[in-house]
Amino acid sequence: MLVRPAVSGDWTFLDHLQRLHHHAIGFLSRAALGEAIDRGRVLLALENDTPAGYLYAAPRYHRRADVAVIYQAAVSFDARRRHLGTGLVRAFADRLPVTVGQVSLWCAADLEAGGFWSALGFAPVATRAGARNKRTHVFWCCNLRYTGSGPAEAFWVPEATRGGVVRATRAVTRLAPAG
């Protein structure tokens, strides 16, 4: 598997994959995804020189230089279970500035993707209401600096979010620590 930054010529594949998975990852307009590509925020996984998955992420979240965010991640159905998603997340983490100690993302609670994020070392730390209160979104975090030799540092969690389909401020509720 090869991971490279997406280019404008990858638009057809990216659009196809996000339409297939719109129920899980949402949908970005051509302009929004094009801007993300131009800013180098979309990574593409290739298998046998053919696009097989992508990850859209940014090295800053809520203007914080120490927190990165993953906005979308999707792998083609026929390429799943071959570690492409893992490779994309690792490639993103490897490209982050040293100031970043936490990678975070929002994922709907009713998706099987929670198992994937957990297997990669992400922990569920907060929740918020989804669009039209039909879903609950879970805020997953991974500490890039934790070595396993002691308790993990507390994760930063936003007090509220605004954007996406909802376009309204949504309160974020921190989950009680496990244990």
Side-chain angles (χ1 to χ4, degrees), residues 128-142:
R128 73 175 182 202
R132 295 173 289 285
N133 291 320
K134 290 184 178 181
R135 287 178 133 168
T136 298
H137 293 166
V138 176
F139 190 59
W140 291 85
C141 299
C142 181

Side-chain angles (χ1 to χ4, degrees), residues 36 40-43 55-60 68-72 92 103:
R41 294 185 173 177
V42 181
L43 294 176
L55 182 126
Y56 165 36
R60 295 172 68 97
V69 63
I70 295 172
Y71 291 113
Q72 290 185 336
F92 171 64
V103 176

Side-chain angles (χ1 to χ4, degrees), residues 111-155:
L111 298 176
E112 292 179 16
F116 170 76
W117 297 115
S118 180
L120 286 183
F122 284 76
V125 298
T127 62
R128 73 175 182 202
R132 295 173 289 285
N133 291 320
K134 290 184 178 181
R135 287 178 133 168
T136 298
H137 293 166
V138 176
F139 190 59
W140 291 85
C141 299
C142 181
N143 187 331
L144 298 177
R145 308 292 175 247
Y146 178 60
T147 62
S149 60
E153 294 178 10
F155 292 109

